[in-house]
Every structure is written in structure tokens, then in C-alpha cells.
Amino acid sequence: MSLLDEVVEVPRRTMTLFFLIDTSGSMAGNKIGAVNDAVVNVLPILNDISASNPDAEIKVAALEFSSGCSWLYSEPKLASDFIWQDVEAEGLTSLGEACEELASKLSKSGYMKSASGSFAPAIILLSDGGPTDDFYGGLGKLKANNWFKHAIKVAIAIGDDADLEVLKDFTGNMEAVFSVHNIDALKKIIRVVAVTSSQIGSKSSSAGDTTKQQQVIDEVKQSVEDIDGAEAASDASVDSSSYDDDWD
């Protein structure tokens, strides 16, 4: 038997991409329709990234929150196996409950139980308003979670009524908050953030590198410059009042 005959494939680690989706009543109509469309179209891209990545396989999990919260699947799934189920919008905005639920799953006994190990997850929060429950109570529990501390966190503020301060508190940095004002911009930013977070989050990096969080922020900021109706919330040079929300 030669040495080549003894070579075994090393199991890849797992990187989970979490979508936290506001499905409250104010998201009804074209906003939630754009979210559904964008996620359906980005899943094949995530599958391609995963298939070509020697470091990690990418799994997807989605948590919707309105008057309460629920997972679309009971565990993260490979993008190739994640059949998107269109979400509908109604009810309130239980973001605090969603934070608490996410914290419960960011554990070895929850969704981070890959036998070969896990990279820190990437978390994308989409919301068009403000929480109607105890957001900071839930966020406090989430911030105590070590997986969350090291996760890539990006928030997408949908429309003028989105509470930017809440989204900043979730991500820990206003630089990680991006605003959109129309259907096309929302679809494009979801794709950009999901793809960029997956590409960067699923790769090994050395201790001396810029953090994965900052790499994602920098790349998304560059992409946003070419998306009409979208801007980085932290960009003081952009007058957001010049954008008119258009969800028709």
C-alpha cells in the first residue's frame, strides 16, 4: 500500500449564516416580497461558495420575528438543501424575543454542534421599524454569548422608519448598519451582504489580519456606493433625506 492510499479527506468546518427577518405588519407587501425574492436567489450562490471552499461548508438558518419568533427549519441546512418558504408579514416586532431565541441556539447543544468544528457565524438582521418588546433584555442575553461576540454582524435598515440606534446596538457598530429605500436596493444589499459575509466568514484567517467583521463592512461599503437607494448609515457625507422611500 502506498502513502497515497492512506490519504483521507479532512472534514471541513461549518460556517452558519443566520438571517433574522422582521415579519411585522409594516413589512407587508413589497418589502417582504423583496426579502423572499432576494433570499431565494442568493441561496444557489451560497451553495457555489460552499462547494468550492476547502475550509468550510456553509449552512443557512432563518429566524422570523413578529408577534413572537420562529425558525424556518429546526436546524441549519446546507444552502443546497434549504428550500426557502416565503414568509408573510403581520403582527408586532418581537426583536428582543428573537435575540433571546438566537442566543439559545448559539451553543454546542444548539446549532453550533458541527463534529468537525465551526467558524464563528455570520448574522444578518433585517428590520423596518423598532422593537415592541423588551429588546435590551433579550440583547443583553445575546451579547453574553461567546459565539455572538465573535460573529460577523450586519443590519439592514429597511426604509426611513427603521430604528438605526437599535440596529447599531445589535451589531455593536453603526458602520455595520446599511439603509435601503426601495425594492431593488433591498434585493441587491441582501445579496451583497449574504455573499460577502459567507465568503469571508467561511475562510481561515491569521491573527494579524483585519477582523472578519471589518473586512465585511469595508467590502459592503464599497458595493453600496453603486446601489441607488442604499447607503452606509455611518456615512456622514451622505444625506439620507435625499432618498425618498419607494416601495411600490
Side-chain angles (χ1 to χ4, degrees):
M1 180 182 293
S2 71
L3 289 176
L4 291 178
D5 293 330
E6 298 177 6
V7 173
V8 295
E9 184 176 346
V10 178
R12 294 187 297 164
R13 296 165 72 182
T14 297
M15 199 288 292
T16 302
L17 174 66
F18 288 89
F19 289 100
L20 269 63
I21 302 172
D22 181 350
T23 54
S24 62
S26 57
M27 285 285 291
N30 287 331
K31 288 181 181 178
I32 203 64
V35 171
N36 285 321
D37 185 62
V39 178
V40 165
N41 285 289
V42 82
L43 285 172
I45 302 172
L46 301 182
N47 182 53
D48 290 342
I49 296 170
S50 179
S52 62
N53 189 337
D55 293 329
E57 62 181 10
I58 296 169
K59 291 189 175 182
V60 179
L63 178 66
E64 61 169 318
F65 60 93
S66 53
S67 298
C69 61
S70 62
W71 296 97
L72 268 65
Y73 287 98
S74 59
E75 62 182 7
K77 289 184 172 291
L78 293 170
S80 57
D81 298 329
F82 197 105
I83 308 302
W84 183 255
Q85 306 159 47
D86 280 359
V87 292
E88 298 181 355
E90 61 179 356
L92 303 176
T93 311
S94 300
L95 181 53
E97 184 176 339
C99 288
E100 193 167 344
E101 174 61 23
L102 177 60
S104 74
K105 293 296 191 288
L106 291 178
S107 67
K108 291 290 186 182
S109 61
Y111 287 176
M112 312 303 291
K113 56 188 176 185
S114 170
S116 56
S118 299
F119 283 113
I123 303 168
I124 304 172
L125 170 62
L126 302 98
S127 181
D128 76 332
T132 55
D133 64 349
D134 181 14
F135 166 64
Y136 287 104
L139 182 63
K141 294 179 180 178
L142 185 56
K143 283 190 170 183
N145 182 288
N146 284 328
W147 284 110
F148 184 76
K149 290 177 184 177
H150 294 93
I152 294 169
K153 298 175 283 285
V154 177
I156 299 173
I158 303 172
D160 288 339
D161 294 331
D163 191 326
L164 296 181
E165 285 300 315
V166 162
L167 300 183
K168 181 201 73 174
D169 290 340
F170 181 88
T171 62
N173 190 333
M174 189 64 86
E175 277 198 318
V177 180
F178 298 89
S179 298
V180 294
H181 303 279
N182 60 58
I183 297 168
D184 189 53
L186 176 55
K187 291 181 181 179
K188 287 179 178 178
I189 199 73
I190 290 174
R191 173 173 172 156
V192 166
V193 173
V195 169
T196 305
S197 298
S198 297
Q199 288 174 329
I200 292 174
S202 61
K203 293 288 182 70
S204 297
S205 59
S206 65
D209 288 344
T210 302
T211 65
K212 290 182 176 182
Q213 171 86 3
Q214 192 60 50
Q215 289 178 54
V216 169
I217 290 171
D218 292 344
E219 291 198 18
V220 174
K221 273 188 171 181
Q222 289 184 0
S223 297
V224 163
E225 292 176 0
D226 297 322
I227 299 176
D228 185 37
E231 80 267 8
S234 62
D235 192 345
S237 66
V238 175
D239 180 10
S240 60
S241 65
S242 65
Y243 292 106
D244 292 324
D245 270 8
D246 180 12
W247 301 104
D248 297 325

